[in-house]
Structure formats: C-alpha cells, structure tokens
C-alpha cells in the first residue's frame, strides 16, 4: 500500500508527499499524490481515498514524470532564426522574449486595436489557474481588449443541444450510472477516454443492469459491454427517433411525467410516425429488430442511464443528437429518477467564483469572438477587420489538432503574423512561432481542478522547482502585463491570491470547502445531495419544463444529419481518442507513441479487398480537402464504409500531413462545434510494403 499525504509516520524524512491533480483534458480529473525525494518528484500515485480516482491513474500519466524530465523538454525561451516552419530557433533571455512580445502587442494595439490579438488557448491544461477552466490569462486579455477565444473544438455542440431542452449543459452525476438498470454507452469510448467511470458501470452490472454500447466501431468499451449496436456514423438522431417511436407504439412513454414536466410533447410526438424502425434501418444500418428490442429493454428497465460522449457530437448534426438523447430520457421520465437521464459533462456544477477570476469588468467594450476551429479560415481571411496580427498560442497544438491542417499552416506561415507559442515541447505549432516560451508542468505550479466527468474539486500543490527557465502560465502573463506597463493591480496577483479569489464563492456547491480545507485534504466532493437528481424539481429552462423541439427545429435536425456526406468519398473516417496518448500530448513519448497505432488506418476486410489493400500496405487517405499517407491495418472491428484511426499525430514525427489535413473547417449545427468525425474520405494503395521493413 503506498503512502498518502498525512501518513507522515510511514515515510522516511527525506521523502515528502504532496497533493496534486492531473491537469489533462480527460473527464476523470484524477487526484494524485506526488512522492518527492529530496527535490525530485519520483512517483505519482492515484489517491486511493478518492471515490472516482480510486487509487489508479492511467497508462498515459504513468509516463508523466518521464515527460517532465524528458531531454526534449523546452527549458529556455527561444526566438526564431529560420523561416517559419523550419524549427530553427535560438535561446534568448526571458527579458528579451518579453520585450519582443510586448513591442508587438503595443504595435498591434496602436495600429489595429486590441482585437488584432488572438489568445488561442487549447486544452493542454484544464486548471482554473494555469489552464483552460479558468481561461488563464483572461484578465490580461480583458485589460488589453484582445479578441475573445471561442472554445469550439471539443464539446460545445452537445452542450448547446442539451441546454436547448434542459436549460443547461449539465447532465446527471456520472456516478449515478451505478444505479441504472440499463446503461447506454452512446458514442463514447469510456474504457479509453475516461476509464474511471467504468467501475460504476460494472457496479450497475453487478446488480443486474444490461450494458449497451452504441458505436460504429468495436472499441475497447464495446468489447466489455453486453451488447453492441453499430449505427452508421452521423445517424444517431434517426436511431433515437426510432426508439422514441417504438416507445410510443408500446405505450411505454411516461404520460404523467410528460404532462407535468415537459413542453411540446404533442407536437414532437406528431412527427414520430415517419421514424418507424423499418425506415430507421435504412438510414442507420441498424436492423429494425434490434431497434424494437432495445426499445423494449428501455421500456422495461428503469432507470435508464445514458453516457453520451463528445465523440458522438463531432458531426454536422451533433448538437441535436444530444438534444434528442435528452428527449429520450424525458419520454421515459428517466430524468426524474436517480440512475436515469443523460450524463455528458459536469463542468458547470463547480460553483467557483469565475467572475473574480476572469475580471470581465476590465473590458472597456465588447470584443469579437474568434472560433478555435476556424483558425485557418480566420488567419487567411483577407476581409477580416481588424486582421489577426498577433497569435498567442498556449496549451494548444493546432497544427496537429485543428481541422483544415493545410489552411492552418498557410495562416501560421504569414510573414506579417507574430506568433507566440507557450508549451512544454517543441511541437509542430512551435515550429511556426516567432517566440517559443517554456511552461511549467503540473508538478511545478499551483492549481485548482475540477473534472468534467465527476463532482470533486482538487488542489495541486507545487512539488518541485520549475524545470530550467520554465515559468508558470500565470507568471508569463504577469511579466507581459509589467512589460506593457499596465496599472491594474489584479494583473499582478500571485497564484495563491488567485486561488483565494476563485474559492471566495457563496455557491452552495462549495459550502464548507475553503482554500485551507482543500489544500489540506487535496480533494473534496462538491455539496450536492447523495442520490442527486438534477432536475427533480424542474428544469433550468425559462418555463422550468423540459422543452421538446418544435416542428421547425425538428426538420432542421434531421436535415443536419446528412449535410456533411459526399458521395465521391465513400468511407467515413473516425479519428478518435487513443488509449495511450491524449490529443497530441504524449505523441512525442516513444514508449506511448509506440504502443498507439495512431498513425495507421484500419479498414474493414471488405473495403481493403475491394481496393487491393493488404495489412501493412502504405496507403493514401484522401478527399477534396487534402490527404495523408500511412499504413493500413485490416480488422472487422470497423464495418464496411467506415475507417478508423486515432487522433493527435505530430507531422514532424510521421513526416507529413496527418488526419486533420482531411477534416473540414465547418461548423456543426449548434455552437460552432467541430465536425472531426464527419469526414468522408477514400483510401488507395500507395505501394506494397511490409510494415516491418
Ligand atoms: N486516452 C485518451 N483519453 C482521452 C482523450 C485522448 O485523446 N486519449 N481525449 C480527451 C478528450 S479531448 C475528449 S473530448 C474525450 C473524448 O472521448 P470520447 O467522447 O470517447 O470521444 P471519441 O474518442 O472522439 O469518440 C468516442 C466514440 O464515438 C464513436 N463515434 C464517432 N462517431 C459516432 C457517431 O456518429 N455515432 C456514434 N454512436 N458513435 C460515434 C467513435 O467510434 C468512438 O469510439 O476524451 C478525453 N480522453
Ligand atoms: N481528427 C481529430 N482531431 C481532433 C479531435 C478528434 O476527435 N479528431 N479531437 C479534438 C479535441 S476533442 C480536442 S479537445 C482538441 C485538443 O487540441 P489541443 O487543445 O491543441 O490539445 P493538444 O493537441 O493536446 O495540445 C495541447 C498542448 O498543450 C501543451 N500543454 C500542456 N499543459 C500546458 C500548460 O500548462 N501550459 C502550456 N502553455 N501548454 C501546455 C501540451 O504540451 C500540448 O502541446 O483536439 C481536437 N482534434
Ligand atoms: S489522463 Fe485522465 S485517467 Fe489519466 S490520470 Fe489524468 S485524469 Fe486520470
Ligand atoms: Mo476534447
């Protein structure tokens, strides 16, 4: 049994145990203990007393400390000395780097206004102080009137879809799935993308629940489920409507619930006849008999818990799929039962004092928003006014992770664009920077964390000195503020001050949770009742009722499902979460990257045969937007018409464009979300070559 902070008696005196939390973009938001020997963190262990973490981290974070010590870690500020993209840099002092940045900021603000600066923040770190949850740096961006960065790359379409029906993007507490009688793992590969939830699903199974995974691909999660339903990608709205149609036909909808808690059911119900299972079979590829059998299970197994993934909504109609899933739970009355309803993201349950953190009051006028997934289009738009002249990238690697890869690179290559990238490693995006700045890693800075798949808040105490010359993100912003000679005192608050302001909240979720208690304990559960049913007393809509889509919404939804298809490219490419890496993070770790088959594309035997492709062949994956080359794998885990790979490869490691060269910069139906999984391609043989050569 490994020790935890507080077990001081059990550890030698040179050893320190420090509370921490994982900063990565993962729903599980693990709490960990860092063992520090002298000055050196030597071990990370998941907190055993944390109900969600339960003593385990994951295979990726097993390499986190190795990453902090990696010989390729960025340790100095750098200035570009070769052409953009060449990756040629020289070390400079911090003062030189900050002077160069503030000169460019001042020039851009004077000539084009603050909105010519785009603070492009990614999901590399989700902390409230150093990372995305608190939109680190927002105070500074507000003070200088920079453009607003709209975080559209990941989950927004689904959040908006849920909010249209329930008034909020919040779903149920994922832990409540342990009380479900039927669990639908819908477009989510939990065993890979957030494995800690699986133990709650297993609890449900131990008391007799049936687990269905709904995914075009036979993933790790599918293999552990009781049943697999494989719709064609991007057809889930039809599948859900088919199920609701069947529930109505079986008189299995909860009439009392619909009458008392919802609006718009009669109109919605009136549209259902066109979604009979036989029609749905044609659209989705799911046999009508499977749809009727699942509807029968839904009718007979309350509570029905649905875990919806972000993968599900990376499609043209993705926002409305989440909305319709919410409708399924309303039709059965499941929102009213513990263990019933939809789980998506618990983000908004954490009632921290964001106003004090963000300081939007520093803005002197409203600013425009720029969408994260339109980076290429925005940088290349000749009519944009003001143009983007300064791009400040932090916690992001858009050359690898954003859609429209060639367009992004074209934009980043603009000679008149001044780009700063703050990171831990010399990523593909760093290669296009004018200045690269080294950031601290999680063992080296202070932060506060939530988890978007649970209800626990966590403290991350610095456990070691910053590596090399690296600085925390907050310190970088303090130095830029000083370089700009800004007077606003809050721009110079210490990390601890920021923590205090953030926790200074009257929100009931934080009752009894203070900086002191959190720092002492490392994690605490938010104050929500046991067996929490979020909408037991009503929904967060204006009417207080669940809102079914109107007839007009309904038609738009169904149309959106097919808007991205392109008959010239018959294969749907799904580039999803890899078990061994996270987005483009860890792809430079040879051990993890070596385990991940992320660079290979998997075809069904039928699609491989018809193209003359054998396992190990080099192939071209292409569409009208771009192409990349890779190795083929063949497996019946993917159905005909679908090809699969994992996301995140670095161009400089694979030696050319990657999957996002084929993904379009196009908005989903709601919130301007990204459509990564709505990507039609074809695959052709390049040359026959054994993968082991
Ligand atoms: N190990 C690991 N963990 C991660 C990440 C990672 O890269 N690696 N990424 C993190 C991030 S940023 C996020 S947002 C989450 C994402 O985690 P998930 O929500 O699990 O998202 P994806 O892996 O994109 O897709 C999940 C599943 O959706 C399926 N899918 C795709 N299209 C459709 C569809 O139209 N219908 C249905 N029913 N299913 C579909 C895919 O085949 C895939 O198996 O995970 C986080 N956790
Ligand atoms: N084809 C395809 N593409 C996808 C997806 C997909 O499903 N398919 N998924 C999308 C999704 S869901 C997401 S969320 C995006 C993620 O895309 P990004 O937000 O670009 O995330 P990463 O690619 O992981 O890059 C994060 C970078 O932040 C750095 N970093 C980590 N911590 C810190 C820190 O504290 N400070 C600073 N300055 N840097 C730090 C890491 O080293 C890393 O280089 O990718 C998207 N891209
Ligand atoms: S990546 Fe996810 S599962 Fe792994 S340690 Fe971090 S929060 Fe936990
Ligand atoms: Mo994401």
């Amino acid at each position: 049994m490994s020790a935890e902070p507080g077990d001081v008696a059990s550890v030698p005196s040179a050893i320190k145990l420090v509370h921490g939390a994982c900063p990565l973009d993962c729903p599980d938001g693990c709490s960990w203990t860092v063992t520090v020997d002298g000055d050196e963190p030597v071990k990370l262990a998941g907190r055993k007393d944390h109900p969600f973490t339960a003593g385990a981290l994951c295979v990726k974070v097993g390499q986190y400390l190795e990453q902090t010590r990696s010989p390729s870690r960025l340790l100095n500020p750098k200035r570009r000395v070769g052409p953009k993209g060449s990756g040629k840099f020289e070390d400079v002092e911090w003062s030189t780097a900050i002077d160069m940045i503030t000169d460019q900021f001042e020039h851009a603000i004077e000539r084009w206004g603050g909105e010519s600066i785009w603070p492009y923040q990614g999901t590399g770190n989700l902390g409230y102080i150093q990372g995305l949850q608190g939109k680190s740096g927002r105070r500074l961006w507000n003070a200088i009137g920079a453009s607003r960065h709209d975080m559209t790359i990941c989950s927004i379409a689904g959040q908006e879809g849920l909010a249209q029906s329930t008034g909020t993007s919040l779903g149920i507490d994922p832990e409540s799935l342990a009380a479900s009688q039927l669990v639908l793992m819908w477009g989510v590969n939990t065993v890979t993308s957030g494995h800690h939830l699986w133990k709650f699903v297993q609890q449900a199974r131990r008391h007799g629940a049936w687990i269905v995974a709904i995914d075009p691909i036979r993933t790790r999660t599918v293999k552990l489920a009781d049943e697999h339903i494989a719709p064609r990608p991007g057809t889930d709205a039809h599948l859900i409507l088919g199920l609701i149609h069947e529930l109505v036909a079986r008189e299995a909808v909860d009439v009392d619930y619909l009458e008392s808690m919802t609006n718009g059911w009669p109109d919605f119900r009136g549209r259902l006849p066109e979604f009979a299972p036989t029609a749905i079979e044609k659209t989705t590829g799911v046999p009508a008999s499977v749809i009727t059998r699942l509807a029968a299970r839904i009718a007979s197994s309350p509570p029905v818990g649905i875990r919806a993934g972000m993968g599900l909504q990376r499609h043209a109609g993705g926002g409305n799929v989440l909305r319709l899933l919410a409708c399924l739970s309303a039709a059965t009355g499941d929102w009213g039962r513990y263990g019933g309803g939809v789980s998506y993201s618990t983000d908004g349950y954490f009632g921290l004092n964001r106003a004090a953190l963000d300081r939007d009051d520093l803005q002197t006028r409203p600013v425009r928003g720029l969408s994260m997934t339109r980076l290429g289009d925005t940088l290349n738009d000749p009519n944009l006014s003001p143009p983007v002249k300064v791009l400040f990238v932090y916690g992001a690697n858009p050359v690898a992770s954003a859609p429209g890869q060639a367009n992004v690179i074209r934009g980043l290559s603009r000679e008149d664009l001044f780009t700063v990238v703050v990171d831990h490693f010399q990523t593909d995006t760093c290669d296009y920077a004018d200045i690269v700045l080294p950031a601290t890693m999680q063992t080296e800075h202070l932060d506060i964390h939530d988890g978007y798949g649970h209800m626990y808040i966590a403290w991350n105490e610095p456990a070691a000195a910053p590596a090399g010359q690296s600085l925390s993100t907050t310190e970088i912003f303090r130095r830029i503020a000083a370089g700009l000679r800004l007077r606003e005192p809050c721009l110079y608050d210490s990390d601890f001050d920021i923590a205090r302001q953030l926790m200074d909240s009257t929100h009931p979720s934080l009752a009894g949770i203070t900086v002191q208690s959190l720092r002492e304990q490392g994690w605490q559960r938010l104050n929500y009742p046991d067996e929490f049913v979020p909408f037991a007393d009503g929904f967060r809509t204006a009417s207080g009722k669940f809102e079914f889509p109107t007839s007009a919404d309904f038609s738009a939804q169904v149309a959106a499902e097919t808007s991205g298809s392109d008959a010239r490219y018959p294969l749907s490419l799904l580039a999803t979460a890899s078990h061994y890496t996270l987005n483009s993070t860890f792809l430079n770790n040879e051990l993890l990257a070596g385990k991940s088959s992320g660079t290979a594309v998997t075809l069904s035997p039928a699609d491989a045969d018809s193209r003359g492709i054998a396992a190990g062949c080099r192939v071209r994956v292409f569409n009208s937007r771009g192409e990349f080359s890779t190795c083929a794998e063949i497996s019946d885990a993917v159905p005909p018409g679908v090809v699969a790979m994992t996301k995140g490869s670095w161009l400089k490691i694979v030696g050319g464009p990657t999957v996002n060269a084929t993904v379009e910069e196009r908005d989903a139906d709601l919130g301007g979300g990204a459509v990564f999984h709505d990507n039609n391609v074809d695959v052709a043989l390049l040359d026959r070559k054994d993968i082991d050569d």
Side-chain angles (χ1 to χ4, degrees):
M1 207 174 120
S2 64
E4 297 196 345
D7 300 350
V8 265
S10 61
V11 286
S13 60
I15 305 272
K16 236 181 4 183
L17 300 174
V18 181
H19 291 316
C22 177
L24 298 175
D25 184 355
C26 167
D28 292 7
C30 289
S31 275
W32 68 37
T33 300
V34 192
T35 306
V36 183
D37 185 353
D39 297 328
E40 181 76 10
V42 291
K43 186 175 164 201
L44 284 183
R47 286 283 295 260
K48 286 194 289 291
D49 60 347
H50 187 295
F52 213 83
T53 304
L57 296 172
C58 65
V59 60
K60 312 174 286 297
V61 166
Q63 283 291 299
Y64 194 85
L65 289 180
E66 279 66 24
Q67 289 283 92
T68 66
R69 297 188 287 258
S70 162
S72 57
R73 172 111 185 245
L74 285 170
L75 298 175
N76 289 294
K78 290 171 192 285
R79 165 172 70 187
R80 180 169 63 84
V81 293
K84 292 203 176 196
S86 67
K88 294 206 174 79
F89 287 82
E90 67 178 17
D91 290 354
V92 290
E93 298 291 323
W94 268 106
S95 56
T96 309
I98 297 288
D99 283 351
M100 287 178 69
I101 293 168
T102 52
D103 280 357
Q104 293 286 337
F105 274 32
E106 277 167 354
H107 177 65
I109 292 168
E110 197 181 293
R111 172 73 178 78
W112 289 282
E115 284 175 312
S116 63
I117 300 173
W118 184 354
Y120 188 101
Q121 185 176 16
T123 64
N125 176 327
L126 292 191
Y128 277 87
I129 299 177
Q130 310 296 343
L132 183 70
Q133 285 301 10
K135 301 230 167 52
S136 178
R138 183 150 166 164
R139 294 170 169 195
L140 174 69
W141 307 125
N142 283 333
I144 64 176
S147 284
R148 191 185 64 242
H149 176 64
D150 287 342
M151 187 63 211
T152 48
I153 207 158
C154 179
S155 57
I156 187 117
Q159 287 177 341
E160 298 230 339
L162 278 178
Q164 285 189 351
S165 280
T166 66
T168 165
S169 61
L170 298 172
I172 57 171
D173 179 351
E175 282 182 38
S176 65
L177 294 182
S180 307
Q181 272 303 314
L182 174 63
V183 179
L184 307 180
M185 304 297 297
W186 206 309
V188 65
N189 187 8
T190 291
V191 174
T192 279
S193 62
H195 75 86
H196 292 83
L197 180 65
W198 192 251
K199 61 179 166 293
F200 297 98
V201 176
Q202 280 173 315
Q203 268 180 40
R205 183 190 264 143
R206 278 199 290 278
H207 66 66
W210 184 255
I211 319 299
V212 183
I214 301 168
D215 196 307
I217 304 173
R218 199 165 71 240
T219 61
R220 284 177 193 255
T221 306
V222 169
K223 286 180 195 156
L224 295 180
D226 298 310
E227 182 179 351
H228 180 201
I229 295 178
R232 289 191 188 103
T235 64
D236 298 81
H238 285 82
L239 181 55
I240 300 161
L241 289 166
L243 290 168
I244 303 177
H245 175 282
E246 264 309 284
L247 290 169
V248 170
R250 289 167 181 269
E251 297 186 1
V253 293
D254 186 333
V255 177
D256 290 345
Y257 189 84
L258 287 166
E259 265 174 24
S260 60
M261 300 296 281
T262 74
N263 270 336
W265 168 250
D267 186 29
F268 182 86
R269 182 193 164 131
R271 297 297 304 264
L272 291 173
E274 56 191 288
F275 299 99
T278 41
I280 296 303
E281 174 170 341
K282 290 199 187 80
T283 331
T284 62
V286 178
S289 59
V290 171
I291 298 170
T292 47
R293 195 177 64 212
L294 181 59
R297 266 196 205 284
I298 292 172
S300 63
S301 332
V304 179
I306 304 175
R307 173 63 171 179
M310 272 111 206
L312 179 60
Q313 48 93 67
R314 305 196 204 296
H315 283 277
N320 277 303
V321 170
L322 266 292
R323 183 171 192 185
L324 288 173
L325 274 185
C327 293
L328 179 58
S329 291
T332 52
D334 269 299
W335 284 115
R337 303 179 187 105
Y338 184 68
V342 181
S343 153
Y344 182 59
S345 168
T346 54
D347 243 8
Y349 279 119
F350 295 72
L352 292 153
N353 191 346
R354 277 175 189 258
L357 179 70
D358 298 348
R359 295 299 306 267
D360 287 348
D361 56 300
L362 297 178
Q363 268 181 359
T364 51
R365 63 183 185 88
V367 294
R368 69 174 173 196
L370 297 176
S371 174
M372 185 171 185
T373 50
R374 293 305 192 93
L375 177 62
D377 283 348
T378 309
L379 293 180
N380 294 310
D381 180 353
N383 300 316
L384 188 70
S385 177
V388 176
K389 288 294 195 177
V390 175
L391 185 70
F392 191 100
V393 180
Y394 56 123
N397 182 9
V399 169
S401 59
Q405 192 166 79
N407 209 23
V408 168
I409 290 175
R410 189 158 53 245
L412 289 173
S413 304
R414 264 176 44 196
E415 283 304 328
D416 67 328
L417 177 73
F418 181 77
T419 302
V420 181
V421 180
V422 192
D423 209 298
H424 303 142
F425 295 98
Q426 184 74 24
T427 63
D428 287 318
T429 307
C430 290
D431 286 353
Y432 290 87
D434 294 280
I435 296 281
V436 172
L437 302 176
T440 45
M441 290 184 73
Q442 188 72 350
T443 42
E444 301 156 2
H445 55 222
L446 179 74
D447 217 333
I448 290 179
H449 289 266
D450 60 16
Y452 60 90
H454 66 52
M455 312 277 265
Y456 303 86
I457 182 167
W459 182 268
N460 185 73
E461 183 82 11
Q469 300 284 310
S470 65
L471 292 179
S472 65
T473 309
T474 41
E475 178 58 20
I476 293 171
F477 291 131
R478 286 188 283 265
R479 292 194 185 191
I480 293 174
L484 293 169
R485 295 175 300 282
L486 298 175
R487 296 248 173 89
E488 169 52 47
C490 80
L491 300 176
Y492 303 96
D493 286 343
S494 71
D495 292 358
F496 208 84
D497 286 338
I498 299 174
R500 271 202 215 94
Q501 294 155 10
L502 185 62
M503 300 288 294
D504 182 14
S505 162
T506 53
H507 194 274
S509 66
L510 293 180
I513 305 178
T514 62
V515 167
Q516 200 190 352
S517 67
L518 189 60
R519 194 177 186 200
E520 272 167 26
Q521 296 169 39
W523 63 269
Q524 289 183 274
R525 183 163 167 96
L526 298 179
N527 282 293
Y528 288 95
D530 289 345
E531 310 231 328
F532 174 52
V533 178
F535 311 119
D537 303 322
F539 289 86
R540 298 203 190 174
T541 52
S543 62
K545 300 208 167 173
F546 183 94
E547 298 288 347
F548 279 96
T550 62
S551 272
D553 287 348
F554 202 91
S555 305
Q557 271 158 25
V558 174
E561 281 234 296
T562 47
S563 72
S565 58
D566 181 340
R568 287 172 302 164
Y569 304 104
L571 303 174
S572 279
L573 172 56
L574 303 178
T576 59
S578 155
H579 199 73
Y580 300 100
T581 55
L582 197 143
N583 292 327
S584 77
T585 304
F586 298 119
L587 262 300
N588 59 336
N589 178 300
E590 277 181 25
L591 183 79
L592 293 176
K595 288 187 177 185
S596 165
S597 60
T599 49
V601 66
T602 304
L603 294 100
S604 68
D607 285 325
D609 274 2
S610 63
R611 289 166 178 77
I613 296 169
C617 288
R618 288 298 296 175
V619 292
R620 231 179 110 225
V621 181
F622 63 98
N623 59 22
S624 57
R625 296 178 280 276
E627 64 175 79
F628 60 98
S629 65
T630 185
C631 281
E633 286 178 358
I634 299 172
S635 165
D636 63 3
V638 297
V642 176
V643 284
M645 63 188 298
T646 56
K647 59 178 170 175
S649 299
W650 289 27
L651 287 74
K652 62 169 118 187
I653 295 178
V654 303
T658 62
V659 53
N660 285 328
T662 59
V663 174
E664 192 173 4
E665 286 181 80
R666 171 165 53 91
D667 292 350
D669 53 347
L670 295 176
V675 295
F676 289 109
H677 297 343
D678 196 345
N679 185 23
N680 282 61
V681 299
D682 207 344
V683 181
L685 195 60
L686 263 180
D687 59 297
R688 220 165 251 279
K689 182 161 162 283
D690 191 355
I691 204 165
D692 293 321
D693 279 354

